[in-house]
Amino acid sequence: MAKKPKIRAIAICLFRYKNRILVHEEMDTVKGSAFARPLGGGIDFGETSQDAIVREIREELGAELTDARLLGIVENIFELEGKPGHEIVFVYDGRFVDGSLYERESLDVVEGKRKFKAVWRSLEELRSAPPDWFRRSFGSCWMSQGLNRNPFPVNPLLAQRVI
C-alpha cells in the first residue's frame, strides 16, 4: 500500500531590503516552470515556528536572525515534480544580525547535502513572474496584515487561504 501523503508545517522568512526579497529559485522539471520561495524549512516536533525559522536560517546560511515577527499563516496545496504537496506555512518578517548580508548579490545556502544560491529579487521581478506558489501565497498574506508594502495585486482566483 502506498504511503499516505502528510501535511508539512514549515516556517519561512521574508528578508526585505530596498524593495527586494531574498528567495531561492527552483525549477519544477515536470511542469517546466520556475518558482521562487523565501528561505526556511520544516518545523520539528515540539519546536515553535519562531524557533524553527531561527534554526533554519542558522543552518542554511550560518547567519543569525533577529526581530522575527509572524506576518501570517498560509495554507499551500500544490503539485511539485508531479507529486502532491500540502503545507501550513508560518510566514515571518525578520532581519539579519549581520547587516553586510543585505549588500551581497547572492548568498550561499546549504540544506543538508544540497547547496544553492539565494538571490535578492525586486518586487517588480516577482510581480511580473508567471503565477506561482510565492505570488499566490504572499499576495494574500500581505493583504491580511494590512501592510502598505503589498508587492502583489491579489487575484481572488489565485489567492491561497490565510488562516
Side-chain angles (χ1 to χ4, degrees):
M1 181 173 0
K3 190 175 178 179
K4 184 178 178 182
K6 298 200 182 263
I7 298 172
R8 183 173 179 235
I10 69 169
I12 61 172
C13 190
L14 297 178
F15 290 102
R16 295 182 270 187
Y17 182 65
K18 292 185 179 178
N19 209 30
R20 298 178 301 162
I21 297 174
L22 187 65
V23 297
H24 72 93
E25 299 170 326
E26 291 194 41
M27 175 68 79
D28 183 323
T29 59
V30 172
K31 292 179 186 173
S33 63
F35 65 94
R37 181 174 136 167
L39 299 179
I43 300 169
D44 292 337
F45 183 82
E47 182 179 46
T48 67
S49 62
Q50 187 168 16
D51 288 344
I53 194 57
V54 170
R55 174 185 52 76
E56 285 288 340
I57 298 305
R58 186 178 297 132
E59 287 175 1
E60 292 180 356
L61 293 173
E64 295 301 319
L65 167 67
T66 188
D67 299 332
R69 182 174 64 92
L70 184 64
L71 293 176
I73 303 168
V74 177
E75 183 170 15
N76 184 34
I77 299 172
F78 59 97
E79 187 175 295
L80 180 63
E81 297 297 336
K83 296 179 183 168
H86 190 167
E87 297 173 329
I88 304 298
V89 185
F90 292 78
V91 183
Y92 281 88
D93 188 22
R95 292 186 311 109
F96 287 120
V97 171
D98 180 357
S100 72
L101 297 176
Y102 293 102
E103 300 299 329
R104 296 183 190 173
E105 191 172 308
S106 66
L107 301 174
D108 293 321
V109 181
V110 176
E111 187 175 52
K113 293 181 180 182
R114 221 175 115 215
K115 294 180 181 183
F116 54 92
K117 298 272 186 196
V119 294
W120 294 99
R121 291 289 178 238
S122 72
L123 300 178
E124 289 73 27
E125 288 172 300
L126 294 171
R127 204 182 281 128
S128 65
D132 59 17
W133 177 84
F134 182 84
R135 195 166 123 166
R136 288 192 311 266
S137 298
F138 297 106
S140 58
C141 187
W142 253 281
M143 291 302 288
S144 74
Q145 294 299 314
L147 298 177
N148 293 329
R149 298 175 290 189
N150 179 14
F152 312 115
V154 177
N155 177 338
L157 298 174
L158 296 177
Q160 298 285 324
R161 284 175 274 172
V162 176
I163 300 171

